[in-house]
Amino acid sequence: MSKPIPSRLSRAAVVGAAVAGALAVSVPAPAYAEDAANLVVNGDFEQTAADGSIPGWPQSENRATGRATIVDGAGPDGSRALALDLGDPNDKAAIGQDVPVPDTGTFRAYRITFDERAVGLDGYGGDLWARNFGHDAVIGRLAGDTGWRKASAVVLARPGAPAVNLLLALEYTTGRLLVDNVRVERVEGNTVGANVQPTGTVQLTWHFAALAGTPAAYEVHRSDDRGFTPSRRTLIRKVPGAWTAEDGSARPGKRYTYKVVALAADGTRLATTDAEPVTMPSRFLDEQRTDVLTATGTGDDARLAWRLKAGTKGPVHVYAGGREVAEGKLHKARKVATAGAHELTGGVTLREKDLRGATGFAVTRQRGEVLATASLAGLEHPRMGVTDGKLTAIRSAIQQPGIPKATYDGLVNRVAAGLPAYNYRPGEAQASWAHDAALLYQVTQDPAYARTAYDAIIESGRTMPFLNGTAYAGAAALETANAAAPLATAYDWAYPAWTEEQRAEVQKVLQRVAAYLEVAYHPNFALPVKQSNWTAVVRGAELTLRLAVRGDGPFDLEEGRIAHLVDEVGRHLDTAYSTTGWDQEGMDYFGYGLGVGAPGITGSIDAGIGALKKRWERPQFANLLMHAFSAQADKARLQWGVGSATGAVPVPGLVFTQVPAEQRAAWLWQYERTVGGGGGTYGLLEYPYGVTSQDPDEAPAAVRRALLDDHVGSYLFRNRYQDKDDVLVGVQNRNEHHIGWGGSDTFALSLLGQDVTWAQQPAKNTAKRELFSKPLVDGGPEGIAGKGRTLESRAYAGQGGGFVSLEGSGNYRLDTARRDIAVDLRPVGGADSVIAVHDAYADSVPHRYDWQLSPESGTTITFGETESGARTFLFRKGDGWLKGWVLTPEGAELSVDKGAFKVTRTGTEADFRIVLAVGKGAPPTATVEGSALTLGTTTYDLDDLRGLRPAVG
């Protein structure tokens, strides 16, 4: 049920929305003059239609409580205006239109402006999307209650783009957004757009249509005087070769005017844009939710900077001392600074006489509660993961056969093969090549590798999509971030071998990347939780970059931006991954998000910032991967979310940085067998030199027993860690849901063993219903996700199996949907393992229920034999088998469709009592009595699986 419109949305606004349709019919449109320069149809919303539709805006994405109406007298000048109203943040209010773009074979610039006003918006989910022309632009985010303000931006349409799609949207919030005077005009002169954000930053975009060539760099100028002439006094930043940047130094309530100056390579001024005035909000929205402290050594001095979470009550104190202070132990610390009650952002420079050798620092509340800690970190390169100790260990290890040498040889061969060995997109491929070469430089000190890294970085900057305009809609930010992280580490690691001139050229590339990433936006960023892989990739990559370049050349210490990024990435760690390491999106996106973002996390720890260390170590990533990845040659793995059935182990080297010490040897054993020499740079850099691998079957109990996650409804079971015959079982229920990729996982079963995937899931191929291994209702999966419940879960003693009782009626939208499942991973009666399932469904109307298993291709399926009153089915592939018994089979239809096995029942109720056994050789025979099946000496009562207590395996 939708939520009511919140009290913050005024009654007048609600009434206005309710009568908008009547207004649209009863009030005649006033006469107005057509504006040939404006490419938008009915951008002032003065035209109305009798049926309530809005002329010129045919595209509607209104959902549930979302409404788009024209309200008379609501505009800034008393004219009509568009009102977008939303009563539930899960719904959407949006309308759109396409603005045709003539294809001239070149880039064309357009200026978008509109007036907007927020009425009771509890989040900045209101904006205008400009889409499908080369990069997505999001303009005009608002929050709270505001007066009318103007939003503006300059966008570039790539050659071949058929149109710029405008979508006025309200989502992820509740309240009202008023919009008027939407304009899209072709840029003929030199123009800058200024897009003020609720957080107080100003995103700037510009274009110099009057210049024939491409300027080498741009200066951004700001003044209180609208008629100012750009000078050194008004200069706020310089950006080489970009068309966008952010001003993060604006003050609340101020009126500013911006101009951008285009520069030639020799610094000559080529042109200046027209002035762009803005008015800043009287109060900025503070989103910080993490206390962050940085401590940076600058010669003999130290610079401390802090940013505290919004709402922190001061004053706060800063303490200095030994390493123990960075661990929150202040008994020997001394106070070095105090910040006032409202100073949530601050900093202090400690001179050598004040520093007195301190290496640990902490910020505390007045009564001593530690808010944030930091260790002193220098700015010497390398500073990201590479240490003298690691290099010594690597150089020694690669002198003898083993995993490190195989990893090193693989990197050498890949770098030598050059760009063809990097099958990535332009920009990202060269960045990855540079990343590998730069680490080889650190290991070998061969300057040829540093030269390769330099050349690859320059080429990456030349071909990166956002720089040359070849990006396609919705992808540019991710593509740029994919390149940003390896560019940053390549810069850090190869820096010592470069000349000052080379360093300056690489810094220009990184300046352009930084300028783009700081303005990159996606709606998933706006949510208070940061679960989407967009946060991990884009914010994590920028964090890596800022840490690598801070204090160098044109870059300052990046104190404010780093604190913001640490907060974003920290909230992603808190909300995207459960304690078991489970991620809704599945293994592929788990690997993608952390593969790009984790170097920023580990880099922040290397930089002495304490905010992410415990948060990075909380999820049991290694244990999750050990439970989910088989030793099969095809790298088969358990599936959930949109994870595929096979694939490489994600971020294996980086997992070494966070696995608990007592599990490190077991993870190394698994790593050796599933990753081997394919761990890449982080497999070489983070390998646990000096640690002897340990068979997980002899390791701590945590890696042998079932992995139970009641919070999200994910359960992973494994019988042993030996070879391709290991049995792995995954049971899912989707007790939680968040924005981002997700699968239809309620009652989903994933089963591996005997070198076969006996039960798979569809990943992204959800239209192929034959790929589901789960119950389907009326031919399809559940309708929603996140409303499942776990009734009970427990691990069986002495083995890796366990019992789970799940409730899924909220997801399936049925009166009853319950699954009891016992996963017995002992050898039982000739089987390697046994799974017993009892599913029960009921609803007020009849349905078709298909209990379905989908094995990998090439599996033969037979069915229909009767055994002790049960009907059986048998899967075979190679010398492996899966045998199933359908108890109380009356009224059930058994079939095979497109390679999937089904047990089908119809009606208002349906019960499935099914036992599965897997193994090799001759399948066993069972005896059945009523609801109980006996295999060997073990009886499985399908009506009382909760009462099963298997003997210790």
Side-chain angles (χ1 to χ4, degrees):
M1 181 180 295
S2 299
K3 300 177 183 176
I5 295 178
S7 59
R8 292 185 61 186
L9 182 57
S10 68
R11 181 173 181 82
V14 176
V15 172
V19 302
L23 287 171
V25 175
S26 61
V27 180
Y32 67 97
E34 292 283 351
D35 184 349
N38 187 9
L39 302 177
V40 176
V41 177
N42 195 24
D44 55 9
F45 301 103
E46 296 303 317
Q47 299 180 53
T48 63
D51 62 359
S53 63
I54 301 175
W57 298 85
Q59 300 160 19
S60 173
E61 296 185 17
N62 294 321
R63 185 172 64 241
T65 63
R67 299 188 300 275
T69 53
I70 292 177
V71 179
D72 190 56
D77 58 356
S79 63
R80 290 173 173 165
L82 172 71
L84 298 176
D85 290 290
L86 198 61
D88 189 313
N90 295 313
D91 302 333
K92 186 175 185 179
I95 60 169
Q97 69 172 271
D98 285 335
V99 177
V101 177
D103 186 5
T104 61
T106 61
F107 287 94
R108 296 171 67 91
Y110 296 86
R111 178 180 171 86
I112 300 174
T113 61
F114 59 97
D115 296 317
E116 62 178 350
R117 179 186 176 190
V119 181
L121 290 185
D122 63 357
Y124 49 80
D127 45 52
L128 180 147
W129 277 65
R131 309 183 298 186
N132 302 336
F133 59 94
H135 63 94
D136 284 358
V138 182
I139 310 164
R141 289 154 53 205
L142 277 183
D145 291 279
T146 72
W148 281 97
R149 50 152 278 184
K150 184 175 291 293
S152 70
V154 175
V155 301
L156 297 177
R158 58 174 167 77
V164 174
N165 174 249
L166 302 182
L167 186 76
L168 291 164
L170 189 62
E171 52 192 332
Y172 310 127
T173 183
T174 58
R176 165 171 281 190
L177 176 68
L178 292 169
V179 180
D180 202 4
N181 303 319
V182 181
R183 299 181 61 85
V184 175
E185 301 171 279
R186 173 74 192 279
V187 174
E188 304 292 348
N190 304 320
T191 305
V192 59
N195 186 20
V196 180
Q197 306 299 294
T199 54
T201 61
V202 183
Q203 295 180 349
L204 302 161
T205 47
W206 55 83
H207 185 67
F208 287 82
L211 292 179
T214 301
Y218 303 91
E219 290 179 343
V220 178
H221 292 263
R222 185 187 73 196
S223 175
D224 298 339
D225 176 13
R226 181 165 184 169
F228 79 99
T229 299
S231 66
R232 184 179 299 274
R233 184 176 59 84
T234 60
L235 178 65
I236 60 173
R237 69 181 299 178
K238 182 179 177 180
V239 186
W243 48 268
T244 185
E246 186 171 88
D247 176 15
S249 62
R251 305 294 298 172
K254 295 282 289 184
R255 293 184 177 180
Y256 295 117
T257 297
Y258 289 94
K259 293 181 181 181
V260 175
V261 177
L263 303 177
D266 62 1
T268 302
R269 291 190 173 187
L270 301 175
T272 302
T273 64
D274 295 334
E276 176 72 354
V278 302
T279 300
M280 301 303 296
S282 59
R283 192 169 75 177
F284 295 164
L285 178 65
D286 187 353
E287 294 185 293
Q288 189 78 10
R289 297 294 180 269
T290 304
D291 298 312
V292 180
L293 174 66
T294 59
T296 308
T298 55
D300 295 329
D301 303 332
R303 170 67 182 177
L304 308 183
W306 57 91
R307 184 173 180 181
L308 306 180
K309 66 178 64 175
T312 299
K313 304 298 182 182
V316 297
H317 306 294
V318 183
Y319 287 86
R323 293 176 57 185
E324 72 281 355
V325 178
E327 299 173 357
K329 303 171 184 176
L330 308 184
H331 54 286
K332 295 182 180 179
R334 53 192 173 82
K335 188 189 302 183
V336 294
T338 297
H342 302 292
E343 296 179 54
L344 301 186
T345 300
V348 61
T349 298
L350 298 181
R351 304 302 179 190
E352 184 178 11
K353 63 183 179 62
D354 302 313
L355 185 61
R356 299 191 313 206
T359 58
F361 306 89
V363 176
T364 75
R365 294 188 192 274
Q366 189 170 12
R367 295 185 179 181
E369 177 191 353
V370 176
L371 299 176
T373 63
S375 298
L376 190 64
L379 295 177
E380 302 82 7
H381 293 280
R383 60 175 79 154
M384 304 281 286
V386 174
T387 65
D388 290 341
K390 289 181 181 179
L391 291 176
T392 299
I394 292 170
R395 291 164 185 158
S396 175
I398 62 178
Q399 300 305 313
Q400 52 196 342
I403 298 297
K405 177 172 174 50
T407 306
Y408 172 77
D409 289 345
L411 285 171
V412 169
N413 293 335
R414 193 180 191 202
V415 170
L419 198 58
Y422 295 85
N423 187 26
Y424 308 128
R425 292 187 176 99
E428 181 185 353
Q430 293 89 343
S432 298
W433 187 17
H435 168 87
D436 289 352
L439 183 62
L440 291 180
Y441 162 72
Q442 280 293 328
V443 174
T444 66
Q445 293 297 292
D446 183 348
Y449 283 124
R451 178 69 200 193
T452 296
Y454 172 80
D455 291 341
I457 290 174
I458 298 302
E459 184 65 10
S460 175
R462 191 187 69 81
T463 60
M464 198 175 303
F466 89 91
L467 296 179
N468 67 12
T470 60
Y472 51 87
L478 289 177
E479 291 180 354
T480 303
N482 292 345
L487 283 175
T489 48
Y491 167 83
D492 177 45
W493 297 340
Y495 182 97
W498 291 336
T499 65
E500 286 299 328
E501 291 76 16
Q502 287 175 317
R503 292 168 182 170
E505 289 303 309
V506 171
Q507 287 164 2
K508 291 178 182 178
V509 173
L510 298 182
Q511 276 184 281
R512 294 197 294 269
V513 174
Y516 184 79
L517 290 180
E518 68 193 15
V519 302
Y521 177 76
H522 188 273
N524 290 0
F525 292 155
L527 301 174
V529 291
K530 308 294 178 181
Q531 294 157 323
S532 168
N533 67 74
W534 274 83
T535 297
V537 173
V538 179
R539 301 308 193 213
E542 187 188 349
L543 177 58
T544 307
L545 189 152
R546 301 284 177 177
L547 290 167
V549 302
R550 63 185 184 134
D552 291 348
F555 298 96
D556 61 23
L557 292 181
E558 308 289 339
E559 293 169 349
R561 190 66 184 175
I562 285 175
H564 166 69
L565 296 169
V566 165
D567 175 50
E568 296 261 310
V569 174
R571 284 196 271 169
H572 175 74
L573 286 174
D574 291 345
T575 58
Y577 312 97
S578 69
T579 300
T580 64
W582 178 92
D583 172 24
Q584 169 186 291
E585 300 181 342
M587 280 298 173
D588 298 296
Y589 281 101
F590 172 96
Y592 175 43
L594 290 181
V596 179
I601 298 168
T602 58
S604 75
I605 298 171
D606 290 338
I609 302 169
L612 297 183
K613 188 174 188 299
K614 290 183 178 178
R615 296 158 94 170
W616 172 236
E617 294 172 348
R618 177 189 61 84
Q620 300 177 48
F621 290 141
N623 206 358
L624 179 85
L625 297 178
M626 284 192 285
H627 278 79
F629 277 79
S630 74
Q632 295 178 191
D634 61 356
K635 297 183 179 179
R637 56 193 183 178
L638 298 179
Q639 292 177 266
W640 63 89
V642 292
S644 54
T646 61
V649 178
V651 296
L654 290 164
V655 168
F656 280 121
T657 68
Q658 65 94 245
V659 58
E662 66 275 10
Q663 297 180 20
R664 189 169 295 125
W667 168 241
L668 178 58
W669 194 97
Q670 172 84 347
Y671 179 95
E672 290 172 342
R673 284 152 183 79
T674 58
V675 179
T681 53
Y682 292 107
L684 189 64
L685 194 58
E686 305 297 350
Y687 190 87
Y689 300 97
V691 175
T692 301
S693 63
Q694 179 186 27
D695 184 342
D697 287 333
E698 301 173 0
V703 302
R704 291 184 281 110
R705 63 173 174 250
L707 204 58
L708 309 176
D709 194 331
D710 292 344
H711 177 70
V712 300
S714 177
Y715 306 89
L716 306 183
F717 309 89
R718 184 168 189 157
N719 70 334
R720 62 179 194 174
Y721 296 85
Q722 293 304 316
D723 52 39
K724 63 184 181 181
D725 291 332
D726 301 346
V727 177
L728 288 72
V729 182
V731 177
Q732 307 293 328
N733 197 44
R734 292 307 304 277
N735 297 349
E736 182 179 270
H737 176 71
H738 60 73
I739 294 294
W741 286 109
S744 299
D745 290 335
T746 308
F747 295 179
L749 179 66
S750 188
L751 174 59
L752 311 175
Q754 298 76 43
D755 206 19
V756 182
T757 297
W758 298 116
Q760 64 182 332
Q761 297 299 335
K764 290 184 179 180
N765 297 319
T766 54
K768 295 183 177 181
R769 300 297 168 80
E770 67 273 14
L771 297 180
F772 282 102
S773 294
K774 59 171 285 146
L776 303 178
V777 179
D778 297 327
E782 66 271 33
I784 57 177
K787 298 184 180 299
R789 291 186 298 121
T790 297
L791 305 177
E792 182 180 353
S793 71
R794 70 173 184 274
Y796 291 148
Q799 60 155 292
F803 167 77
V804 182
S805 181
L806 305 173
E807 207 284 327
S809 61
N811 291 344
Y812 275 109
R813 295 179 175 174
L814 300 171
D815 291 342
T816 300
R818 175 169 172 166
R819 164 166 286 186
D820 284 359
I821 183 167
V823 180
D824 187 356
L825 296 186
R826 305 168 301 148
V828 177
D832 289 345
S833 299
V834 177
I835 302 170
V837 186
H838 181 192
D839 286 354
Y841 304 91
D843 200 30
S844 57
V845 296
H847 298 279
R848 170 182 170 137
Y849 299 90
D850 293 306
W851 196 100
Q852 180 169 296
L853 285 183
S854 176
E856 67 179 56
S857 62
T859 303
T860 61
I861 304 175
T862 58
F863 63 89
E865 298 293 329
T866 299
E867 184 176 302
S868 191
R871 295 185 72 188
T872 65
F873 53 94
L874 185 65
F875 297 2
R876 282 190 179 274
K877 188 168 187 182
D879 56 358
W881 51 260
L882 176 148
K883 184 173 182 179
W885 293 264
V886 181
L887 281 65
T888 58
E890 295 76 18
E893 176 189 348
L894 280 59
S895 64
V896 174
D897 181 29
K898 297 180 181 178
F901 172 75
K902 300 174 182 289
V903 181
T904 302
R905 294 183 182 274
T906 58
T908 56
E909 296 183 354
D911 246 33
F912 298 89
R913 297 174 176 85
I914 298 174
V915 178
L916 308 174
V918 293
K920 282 186 173 182
T925 299
T927 59
V928 178
E929 185 175 347
S931 64
L933 178 144
T934 300
L935 195 60
T937 60
T938 301
T939 297
Y940 302 91
D941 185 348
L942 277 297
D943 284 345
D944 186 23
L945 290 176
R946 183 177 181 275
L948 179 67
R949 296 293 191 275
V952 174

